[in-house]
Amino acid sequence: MSEREGGIFYNLQVLLDQDYRGVNIAVYALATASLAFSIHKIRPVSKFSKATKVPDHFIRNHEPLKGVYTGVQHSPVRLLINHKAPIFLPLWHSSKPPIPVKLWGVDIVSGNAVNWLECVAKGQMVTLKPIGRDKDDLVSTVLLHLRQPGTKAVETLDVGQKLVELGFAQASVPQAIKKKTLESQLAPAILSAESCAKKYRSGIWSEKLPPIPLYVIYWRKGSQYLINSVIFTANKFVHLLTFALKSALIGTKNLALRPFRSTPKHVKAT
């Protein structure tokens, strides 16, 4: 190594070993700014009690919000969700009220919806996917997580779709919906649920639509009876076939394992 190269490396080592206060301050400032930006983006200690408190990027990105269903707010009907922040601060969070939520694409029009929610959803965990704001109300989907008794399985229901399917709510899907969005995925399911409710005259549709003709009722019952008979016969046939195959395999196995017997030779006496 030449004297010149050695001098360069030596000067570089000396430069790196020196403690520059300005460099340290810049590094610490950058780390602090990055931490502050992450906290602002995630909001780990923020409990939302109004739609205006929910950040715009939460709504734009449909960030899931966890919470507990606590009840309803009347006139108009809104679901009250006790939002759970990722980091729980008892003294601060306990004093904040639940956030009112308007179901996207759904209008609750029956008092039976409130009764159903009180019986099924009270105190249960839910997940919100924010879509917009309506003054202080958060416009969102509400996914209800129901634990199955005696098991660890969890059934997840879309509350809006279920209420429409039961005939306790009507679809109010906007006309113009952008493609490849969350709304474009929700709209067909809500409209399909309403079609099913109308077809079977569930809830409010038993009064708004004419009664189902008798021939349709008989046709549905007959079709269901035929389907059940086919399923029962198929299950019985599969059971008999399985039993026959098992018996055949057991018989073949016993036959294969049976030792060969040699024919005894009779020796004549001389």
Side-chain angles (χ1 to χ4, degrees):
M1 180 183 294
S2 65
E3 216 176 283
R4 181 180 178 183
E5 291 175 348
I8 293 175
F9 284 112
Y10 175 77
N11 292 333
L12 181 61
Q13 182 180 359
V14 173
L15 182 65
L16 292 175
D17 289 341
Q18 289 181 0
D19 182 16
Y20 285 94
R21 185 179 299 273
V23 174
N24 291 336
I25 292 175
V27 171
Y28 295 149
L30 181 61
T32 303
S34 300
L35 178 61
F37 177 76
S38 300
I39 292 175
H40 173 75
K41 186 176 181 180
I42 301 174
R43 301 292 182 89
V45 296
S46 296
K47 177 182 177 180
F48 305 126
S49 56
K50 293 181 180 180
T52 53
K53 300 296 184 180
V54 180
D56 291 337
H57 66 272
F58 272 53
I59 296 177
R60 184 170 57 252
N61 299 328
H62 311 302
E63 292 289 342
L65 302 175
K66 302 293 184 179
V68 176
Y69 173 82
T70 61
V72 296
Q73 171 185 293
H74 298 275
S75 301
V77 177
R78 298 288 185 263
L79 277 64
L80 297 178
I81 306 299
N82 187 21
H83 172 235
K84 297 292 185 181
I87 300 177
F88 181 66
L89 303 177
L91 297 179
W92 185 21
H93 291 165
S94 299
S95 61
K96 290 193 172 184
I99 183 171
V101 176
K102 180 183 185 301
L103 296 171
W104 183 89
V106 173
D107 284 336
I108 298 177
V109 293
S110 172
N112 290 327
V114 178
N115 297 332
W116 183 85
L117 288 168
E118 288 297 307
C119 294
V120 177
K122 188 75 171 182
Q124 300 293 333
M125 292 294 300
V126 297
T127 299
L128 310 179
K129 287 188 177 181
I131 296 176
R133 299 186 184 91
D134 184 4
K135 298 180 181 179
D136 288 337
D137 302 336
L138 182 66
V139 181
S140 172
T141 64
V142 178
L143 299 178
L144 176 64
H145 308 295
L146 296 175
R147 290 191 173 275
Q148 301 303 306
T151 66
K152 294 182 179 180
V154 177
E155 181 184 6
T156 300
L157 300 176
D158 187 296
V159 174
Q161 294 178 19
K162 192 63 179 179
L163 291 176
V164 172
E165 181 183 344
L166 293 171
F168 300 155
Q170 287 181 305
S172 60
V173 176
Q175 294 294 328
I177 298 177
K178 294 182 180 180
K179 296 181 179 179
K180 297 182 180 180
T181 59
L182 177 60
E183 295 91 320
S184 65
Q185 299 174 11
L186 296 172
I190 293 175
L191 295 175
S192 177
E194 186 171 75
S195 297
C196 182
K198 290 179 178 179
K199 179 180 179 181
Y200 291 97
R201 303 298 192 271
S202 301
I204 60 174
W205 304 112
S206 62
E207 299 177 357
K208 290 189 174 185
L209 295 178
I212 302 175
L214 288 178
Y215 71 88
V216 175
I217 296 176
Y218 292 144
W219 169 258
R220 289 177 181 173
K221 289 184 178 180
S223 300
Q224 189 62 43
Y225 176 78
L226 180 61
I227 292 172
N228 293 337
S229 300
V230 170
I231 294 175
F232 176 78
T233 304
N235 290 337
K236 190 174 182 180
F237 175 76
V238 170
H239 178 73
L240 291 175
L241 182 61
T242 304
F243 178 76
L245 289 174
K246 286 184 178 179
S247 300
L249 290 173
I250 293 173
T252 304
K253 182 179 178 181
N254 292 337
L255 184 62
L257 295 178
R258 182 181 299 174
F260 292 98
R261 296 180 180 178
S262 59
T263 305
K265 296 181 179 180
H266 299 281
V267 180
K268 294 183 178 180
T270 56

